Each structure stands twice: as structure tokens, then as C-alpha cells.
């Protein structure tokens, strides 16, 4: 399909076809059944998070599987996550690690961090994962001071207004080959509207601008529709100073 006119919760694909949020949510459910199947561990994590009153901002099952596959593709042994929430995405990422791997996940809200620890422990992954509570920028400074980097994969899914600062810290904790993933960068299409200065939208837009102008990075972004609505993610690989000859927008390295 080649959509030509987006409308909130509706996608007009051509004169005959209108795809609603109900439709694309149904497609998400079908993909989950076809490709993923029931997952008692992740379902228990969602239930525990809901009982604790956490917001339902977890990645979708297909999104969680994508994170796992990205980590496996990168042969990641060390992962850094910004924004733990209840640990759903943390569990997905940790499943890709080898037995001697490590994952540090940062959560600003201490109550959320406690729920995440319980969910991760129930998943049998406590030996691979460390949940650190407190403001992410402070935690990132501590990680750098302790020399705990570089990381093979960094997943940014915290407050979007601070995404530009998170990118800078992520690069400090990277190496050539590090994969950087940032979620929720499309903001229902608002990221393409330069007049929209809502802090999360402005943060996502500035993040993409910085990624696109940084000669160390090779990047793209994908917009998605599904059970979580209209959003998307950015994906970048650290290539080093010699990774591109003429900027991130060039078609070839």
C-alpha cells in the first residue's frame, strides 16, 4: 500500500481503501499470533505493571521481538537501556544476551524500577540485568565515570524531550558498530511539523536532526502503525569518523 493522506486514527490508502486504527490493531494481533505466540513471562510482566499502576507505554509484542532480533543480529554482549518502565522491553533485550552478557537499564521512577526488578527476576534474567533508579543523565554520567562502556546496543525510550542529550551520552558510551535504537520518534506525524513545539515532539525532532548531521552515524527511521497507534523508531549504527565520506544523507558510504 502507498498511503497518501494520513488522518488521526485513519489512513487513506487510495480512493477505495480506508484503513482505521481498528484495522491496523487487528493486523498487529494477527502478526503476534502468526510469528510470536503466547508468552506467559511477558504477559505476567504486563499484568504486574498494570496492577502497580504503571502507564501502558510498553513496546508492543512485535516491537519487543524486533528489539530482541536487533540485539541478536548485532551479537550484543552488553546492552544499555534508557527507560525501563516495568521491564517488558528489558526482558526482550536480555533474552538475546549470552550467559555472560550484561544489560544495564535506567529508570527515573523508583517505584517503576521496583516493579521492573520483580518482573525481570520472575523472567529468570536477574543475573544478566541491573536496574538502576534515578535520573538517567546522572546515571549515564556515573556509567561513564566508572568506565562501564562501551555498549554493543543502546535503546533510548525515556522522556523524549531529553532525547538530544541522551544521544550525546549514548555516543560517549559507544564504539564503531554500536547499534542505537530510539523509540517513539514520529509522534503521530508531529515530528514533521516544524511549528509543533510540544516538548516531546521538539525533542524527537532535534534528536533526528542531530543523528542526521553526525558523521559518525549511519541511520534511518521507520514510521509504524499498529496497536500503539502511529509512531515509529530511529535506528543508527556508529561507523566512526571514516564511516561516511559525505554525510548521513548520502546514498552510499
Amino acid at each position: 500500500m502507498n498511503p497518501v493522506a494520513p488522518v488521526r486514527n485513519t489512513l487513506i490508502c487510495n480512493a477505495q481503501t480506508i484503513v482505521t486504527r481498528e484495522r491496523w490493531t487487528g493486523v498487529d494481533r494477527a502478526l503476534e499470533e502468526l510469528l510470536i505466540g503466547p508468552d506467559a513471562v511477558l504477559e505476567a510482566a504486563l499484568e504486574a505493571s498494570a496492577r502497580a499502576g504503571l502507564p501502558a507505554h510498553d513496546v508492543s509484542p512485535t516491537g519487543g521481538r524486533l528489539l530482541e532480533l536487533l540485539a541478536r543480529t548485532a551479537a550484543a554482549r552488553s546492552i544499555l537501556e534508557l527507560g525501563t518502565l516495568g521491564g517488558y522491553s528489558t526482558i526482550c533485550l536480555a533474552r538475546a544476551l549470552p550467559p555472560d552478557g550484561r544489560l544495564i537499564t535506567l529508570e527515573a521512577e523508583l517505584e517503576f524500577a521496583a516493579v521492573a526488578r520483580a518482573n525481570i527476576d520472575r523472567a529468570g534474567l536477574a543475573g544478566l540485568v541491573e536496574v538502576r533508579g534515578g535520573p538517567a543523565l546522572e546515571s549515564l554520567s556515573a556509567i561513564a565515570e566508572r568506565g562501564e562502556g562501551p555498549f554493543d546496543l543502546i535503546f533510548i525510550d525515556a522522556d523524549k524531550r531529553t532525547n538530544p542529550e541522551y544521544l550525546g551520552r549514548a555516543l560517549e558510551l559507544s564504539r564503531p558498530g554500536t547499534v542505537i535504537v530510539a523509540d517513539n520518534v514520529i509522534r503521530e506525524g508531529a515530528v514533521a511539523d516544524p511549528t509543533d513545539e510540544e516538548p516531546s515532539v521538539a525533542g524527537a525532532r532535534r534528536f533526528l536532526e542531530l543523528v542526521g548531521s553526525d558523521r559518525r552515524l549511519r541511520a534511518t527511521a521507520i514510521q509504524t502503525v499498529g496497536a500503539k497507534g502511529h509512531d515509529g523508531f530511529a535506528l543508527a549504527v556508529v561507523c566512526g569518523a571514516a564511516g561516511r565520506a559525505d554525510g548521513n544523507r548520502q546514498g552510499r558510504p
Side-chain angles (χ1 to χ4, degrees):
M1 295 187 299
N2 296 304
V4 295
V7 181
R8 186 180 180 89
N9 293 332
T10 304
L11 203 61
I12 302 175
C13 301
N14 53 50
Q16 291 78 39
T17 307
I18 296 179
V19 183
T20 64
R21 181 163 185 164
E22 181 181 359
R23 174 69 178 273
W24 68 60
T25 297
V27 171
D28 248 13
R29 298 290 181 252
L31 293 175
E32 291 166 22
E33 293 178 7
L34 288 167
L35 301 174
I36 299 174
D39 191 316
V41 169
L42 290 175
E43 290 167 7
L46 289 177
E47 292 169 3
S49 297
R51 286 195 302 271
L54 273 62
H57 294 164
D58 313 87
V59 299
S60 66
T62 51
R65 179 59 60 85
L66 175 62
L67 290 174
E68 179 187 342
L69 294 177
L70 288 172
R72 289 187 184 277
T73 302
R77 303 179 68 86
S78 58
I79 297 174
L80 175 63
E81 178 182 45
L82 283 63
T84 317
L85 194 60
Y88 187 102
S89 56
T90 316
I91 293 169
C92 295
L93 288 165
R95 285 173 166 175
L97 287 171
D100 61 345
R102 66 188 177 109
L103 190 159
I104 297 173
T105 181
L106 311 179
E107 175 52 54
E109 301 293 337
L110 299 184
E111 297 85 355
F112 295 2
V115 174
R117 288 189 188 96
N119 285 335
I120 292 163
D121 183 61
R122 188 186 307 108
L125 296 167
L128 295 174
V129 177
E130 180 181 359
V131 182
R132 298 184 184 179
L137 291 176
E138 294 179 12
S139 297
L140 290 167
S141 295
I143 288 171
E145 290 170 3
R146 294 173 186 149
E148 294 178 299
F151 293 89
D152 301 320
L153 185 145
I154 300 174
F155 179 44
I156 302 173
D157 193 19
D159 58 303
K160 312 311 170 191
R161 68 184 65 196
T162 315
N163 269 8
E165 289 83 357
Y166 293 151
L167 175 64
R169 300 299 181 87
L171 287 168
E172 292 172 3
L173 295 168
S174 299
R175 58 163 178 78
T178 292
V179 176
I180 299 174
V181 185
D183 201 11
N184 307 126
V185 299
I186 302 302
R187 317 302 302 173
E188 294 189 320
V191 71
D193 180 1
T195 67
D196 192 330
E197 289 300 324
E198 190 277 325
S200 292
V201 173
R205 185 186 306 115
R206 182 57 182 156
F207 172 88
L208 293 173
E209 291 171 349
L210 292 171
V211 168
S213 63
D214 195 310
R215 294 177 60 83
R216 294 168 291 181
L217 296 172
R218 197 77 174 164
T220 190
I222 304 295
Q223 64 176 330
T224 60
V225 293
K228 296 293 182 176
H230 177 204
D231 213 324
F233 62 92
L235 176 65
V237 176
V238 179
C239 297
R244 295 193 307 274
D246 197 21
N248 199 25
R249 295 181 179 84
Q250 183 168 308
R252 296 179 180 178

